[in-house]
Amino acid sequence: MFSSQPERLYRARVAELKTPVYRSFTVPDPALARQVLEDAEGFPKSDVLSATLGPLLGRSVFVTNGAEWGEARARIDPAFSGGRVREMAPQIEAAARTMCAGLSPGEVEVEAVTARATADVILRVLFSRPIEDAQAAEVYDAFRAYQRAQPLASPADLLRLPRWVPRRRRGAAAARRLRALVAGLIAARTGEEDDLTARLVKAGFEGERLLDQAVMFLLAGHETSASALSWALLCLALADEVQERAAVEALAAPEGFAGLRQMPFLRDVWREVLRLYPPVPMLPRRAARPAQLRDREVAAGAAVILSPWHSGRHERVWDAPHVFDPDRWSRDVPSEAWFPFSAGPRICPGAGFANTEGVLMLAALLRHWRVAPVEGRMPRPVAHLTVRAADGIWLRFSERS
Ligand code: HEM
């Protein structure tokens, strides 16, 4: 992963990259990374994010900072309280049924399957529309076009904006089209829906600001979950015994939200996948004022990159850091080193929902299907907006008798 990144990041506390033009710090040390994430004022989100995602996400909470972010975030959080997540579970189950029904035995590229399934979930949750709906399907296609226009994002790339420019132009056109289609979905609403957009409207968002947040939910709530589900299936395919235990548990549990509590092992599988393959592998920040990171002086304006990928595999804190071992979660784990949803004030508001979605989707798949690796097709992780496989993730599906 991240071939430009030296192996030492799995052991380093802070690594500095100095060029004549810029200085940046990557912070793999989990405790230090958390310190940075807790200090959202001292280390706001990097301007690179708003420069690249701004054409799509406008002034949504994903890209803004300071009072503007705080005010909008306070209005968004109640939409994801515990009870709300339970209400959204039937939408997850419906999308899971569609996904399972669409699969056939044989070799399957799972990134495409999970991308479609999680888009189905978020379209239902956000707009009360399944992906089969023609207007929703158009949004999904536009979304795929936008993703294809996105560059690879290694930490070095995150700092070298000019290399992105031609792609950014293509990305901007794709972003405009996607926003126009989502605006169409919003305009076609009856006002009777009880969904996430209805909650955003109740929270006071309207016009362009409503569109910003809605498009953001589409992006933040779909690609991340798709990435995690795909890597989860790979991990299960490579660990037969784990897969069988998880399947037995899923088959014994009731479908839907009620089954969650009865699947502790599958929940640990999910946690372990997020440790090894955090969908958002890097979190770019900027030092708002001079700061000290251990023995390094960080000048105001310097880039500071947190890495859930390296912290989740940090050799100073994890036993067998690169090994997929869901049982570690029933032993003593350094849980402060696990922050796939970020940490501090800007922690992912959709984390509870994403955990529910991940476990319910995996359970639905495992009840019907067994997955196995395809020889000669071991995926190689690369960083796009999220962690994807360079040439897809191919697995062999067979029906569970
Ligand atoms: C496995 C799935 C997911 C993962 C791993 C994940 C991870 C993250 C991470 C790491 C961030 C922080 C990014 C940063 O600080 O630079 C974030 C932010 C965010 N996520 Fe998620 N996310 C997931 C699913 C979701 C879902 C399902 C939703 C909503 C439906 C969602 C909504 C958001 C929003 C709105 C933000 C911006 C928060 C802010 O900046 O205040 N995410 N997510």
Side-chain angles (χ1 to χ4, degrees):
M1 177 70 174
F2 314 139
S3 44
S4 62
Q5 292 291 298
E7 283 292 307
R8 73 186 166 98
L9 286 187
Y10 294 113
R11 288 177 297 280
R13 298 201 190 274
V14 186
E16 187 175 352
L17 183 64
K18 257 191 230 170
T19 78
V21 191
Y22 59 78
R23 282 177 87 181
S24 85
F25 299 84
T26 304
V27 188
D29 180 80
L32 209 52
R34 274 194 178 260
Q35 208 177 301
V36 170
L37 289 170
E38 290 293 341
D39 183 4
E41 272 183 31
F43 297 96
K45 277 207 173 176
S46 159
D47 307 338
V48 173
L49 272 182
S50 43
T52 50
L53 294 176
L56 181 67
L57 302 186
R59 310 288 318 157
S60 68
V61 288
F62 203 90
V63 287
T64 48
N65 284 308
E68 181 182 10
W69 165 79
E71 191 262 331
R73 177 70 197 244
R75 289 197 271 154
I76 278 175
D77 278 346
F80 288 98
S81 63
R84 289 294 186 190
V85 171
R86 176 192 286 263
E87 284 167 21
M88 297 176 202
Q91 313 287 12
I92 299 173
E93 286 292 310
R97 275 193 296 277
T98 307
M99 169 180 69
C100 288
L103 286 164
S104 335
E107 289 182 15
V108 175
E109 199 291 290
V110 296
E111 280 189 340
V113 173
T114 61
R116 190 177 166 80
T118 55
D120 193 10
V121 171
I122 198 70
L123 284 162
R124 288 169 188 266
V125 163
L126 196 52
F127 298 120
S128 307
R129 303 257 197 149
I131 202 163
E132 291 95 352
D133 173 277
Q135 230 180 330
E138 233 185 331
V139 167
Y140 177 61
D141 291 342
F143 198 90
R144 305 278 288 173
Y146 174 78
Q147 283 168 315
R148 281 194 294 276
Q150 284 303 309
L152 280 174
S154 76
D157 289 330
L158 282 175
L159 302 166
R160 287 187 205 118
L161 260 177
R163 276 183 45 192
W164 288 20
V165 169
R167 276 179 169 270
R168 279 172 66 207
R169 281 203 199 103
R170 255 202 296 151
R176 270 196 303 278
R177 174 164 162 71
L178 180 49
R179 280 181 70 93
L181 289 170
V182 174
L185 270 186
I186 294 177
R189 290 168 67 78
T190 62
E192 297 297 310
E193 298 85 354
D194 178 19
D195 52 19
L196 186 50
T197 300
R199 264 166 251 144
L200 292 173
V201 171
K202 271 198 204 115
F205 293 107
E206 55 182 8
E208 283 292 297
R209 298 294 83 88
L210 174 65
L211 180 59
D212 291 348
Q213 309 296 357
V215 175
M216 171 198 68
F217 277 116
L218 206 56
L219 176 81
H222 151 228
E223 226 195 292
T224 44
S225 300
S227 163
L229 274 172
S230 302
W231 293 105
L233 288 172
L234 176 72
C235 289
L236 291 169
L238 294 172
D240 220 27
E241 183 261 343
V242 171
Q243 184 179 166
E244 286 318 298
R245 272 169 72 194
V248 167
E249 192 183 68
L251 283 161
E255 287 186 18
F257 195 81
L260 275 184
R261 282 174 165 271
Q262 293 176 43
M263 297 188 285
F265 183 62
L266 198 48
R267 294 206 309 269
D268 285 347
V269 166
W270 180 247
R271 269 189 205 110
E272 181 69 345
V273 170
L274 291 177
R275 179 183 74 81
L276 284 174
Y277 297 96
V280 187
M282 291 166 294
L283 312 175
R285 299 290 190 264
R286 160 180 65 80
R289 44 180 182 258
Q292 179 102 19
L293 292 176
R294 281 182 70 87
D295 53 348
R296 312 292 175 116
E297 303 287 341
V298 178
V304 177
I305 295 166
L306 298 322
S307 173
W309 180 282
H310 291 99
S311 297
R313 296 170 177 241
H314 207 277
E315 290 167 6
R316 288 177 194 261
V317 296
W318 296 96
D319 288 335
H322 305 286
V323 174
F324 175 62
D325 173 16
D327 285 314
R328 74 171 75 234
W329 293 94
S330 47
R331 302 192 294 268
D332 204 13
V333 278
S335 44
E336 80 292 343
W338 185 89
F339 49 89
F341 295 105
S342 185
R346 300 204 70 142
I347 192 168
C348 171
F353 175 77
N355 287 331
T356 302
E357 179 187 20
V359 174
L360 292 185
M361 295 287 245
L362 280 181
L365 274 164
L366 289 173
R367 284 186 189 112
H368 297 283
W369 296 96
R370 186 174 276 119
V371 286
V374 174
E375 225 189 282
R377 288 201 120 154
M378 190 58 193
R380 182 170 57 85
V382 288
H384 286 254
L385 278 176
T386 54
V387 178
R388 313 299 284 185
D391 303 300
I393 299 181
W394 287 88
L395 297 179
R396 184 178 308 284
F397 277 60
S398 55
E399 271 172 281
R400 202 171 275 284
S401 48

